[in-house]
Amino acid sequence: GVPGGPVLYQVERTRTGKSYSVCSVKAIQHGEAIFTCQASFWPSQESQVQHQQATMPAVPPPEHLLTQEELTEKYLQDSHLPEKYKQHLHELLAEDVPMEIKPVSPPAAFCLEAQEPKQLLWVRARGHIGETDTKVHCCVAAYMSDYGFLGTALLPHRQYHAKFLLSDSHAMRFHSAFRSDHRMLCECESPCFVGSQALVQGRLWRRDGVLAVTCMQQGVIVLEPRQSKL
């Protein structure tokens, strides 16, 4: 869509039951559909039958890690960093990102060595949201899960630059109550990147080890060789 342009949302109730409802949403801007969404709703119910097979990765606590902004400032102190990359870092610092990100294992600045297509990030919304409607925290988590999510697929291919990157599908499942303004561990992994189609899977963990959200995103990424090397 066009930033700042008016958007019309068309909502269709696909199914309305006593305990389960489904609706479809289409966002229209300048007469064209720019976004479609299907959302399912059901009331929270207590159950004696439940399990959680996966376990939260053992990582350093967020208090011992630097934020993305602090890491960028650290990179800028490198006197050997080319001017073009310094300019790019300053542009990153100027971005008004409404979330705090603390990478668990940050790479060196502009590292071109291949890495596993996996990321672990401590994330939370900036500011105080508080004890509000759980749907608000779900919406904020949806934003957080989309921010830089597809970049996980680029980690093994650092010798290339993303000429074009677009998300074409993003599915989320909300399992347990959480606060998006409290730190959560974002676990990302890209199991497949073939023919410009990248698939990324992710989990959002509460600090107490409870799985809060599972998500999966597919996107189109067109790569081109970097023009210069460090």
Side-chain angles (χ1 to χ4, degrees):
V2 180
V7 179
L8 174 66
Y9 293 94
Q10 293 182 348
V11 181
E12 177 184 351
R13 294 182 179 273
T14 307
R15 182 183 188 278
T16 302
K18 294 182 179 180
S19 60
Y20 181 76
S21 300
V22 180
C23 71
S24 299
V25 181
K26 179 186 293 186
I28 300 175
Q29 188 179 52
H30 302 302
E32 296 184 359
I34 60 173
F35 170 83
T36 58
C37 170
Q38 180 169 295
S40 303
F41 305 90
W42 58 91
S44 177
Q45 297 177 345
E46 294 293 332
S47 173
Q48 296 179 345
V49 180
Q50 60 182 19
H51 76 270
Q52 179 179 298
Q53 182 69 16
T55 56
M56 178 177 171
V59 297
E63 290 79 13
H64 296 172
L65 300 172
L66 298 177
T67 65
Q68 194 69 64
E69 291 79 11
E70 291 169 336
L71 284 168
T72 302
E73 293 282 5
K74 179 181 177 181
Y75 296 154
L76 284 169
Q77 294 175 7
D78 184 354
S79 59
H80 300 290
L81 198 65
E83 189 61 34
K84 60 178 295 187
Y85 295 119
K86 287 184 180 181
Q87 181 180 352
H88 177 65
L89 289 177
H90 282 297
E91 291 174 355
L92 291 177
L93 282 176
E95 291 182 1
D96 185 17
V97 181
M99 56 184 289
E100 178 195 83
I101 305 172
K102 290 192 171 187
V104 173
S105 300
F110 295 97
C111 171
L112 298 183
E113 295 182 2
Q115 292 182 263
E116 278 192 288
K118 297 180 179 180
Q119 287 194 92
L120 290 169
L121 313 163
W122 285 105
V123 298
R124 70 173 174 183
R126 296 190 188 277
H128 177 75
I129 299 176
E131 296 286 352
T132 183
D133 192 324
T134 57
K135 291 190 290 292
V136 173
H137 289 290
C138 289
C139 291
V140 175
Y143 176 91
M144 292 194 298
S145 72
D146 186 57
Y147 187 85
F149 199 55
L150 280 178
T152 308
L154 298 176
L155 296 179
H157 315 287
R158 289 183 173 273
Q159 70 273 31
Y160 293 93
H161 167 73
K163 180 180 179 181
F164 179 82
L165 189 150
L166 175 68
S167 170
D168 60 18
S169 66
H170 193 162
M172 302 188 70
R173 297 291 182 266
F174 299 94
H175 310 300
S176 304
F178 62 92
R179 288 272 300 271
S180 57
D181 54 350
H182 288 179
R183 288 193 177 103
M184 293 189 292
L185 183 67
C186 181
E187 179 186 10
C188 308
E189 180 177 5
S190 175
C192 186
F193 182 11
V194 178
S196 299
Q197 295 283 333
L199 180 67
V200 181
Q201 301 169 338
R203 298 182 177 122
L204 279 173
W205 299 89
R206 296 190 332 205
R207 288 196 68 165
D208 59 2
V210 172
L211 180 61
V213 184
T214 299
C215 46
M216 181 177 294
Q217 187 174 33
Q218 180 172 286
V220 178
I221 304 178
V222 178
L223 300 178
E224 62 180 5
R226 293 185 181 273
Q227 296 298 318
S228 60
K229 297 181 179 180
L230 291 177

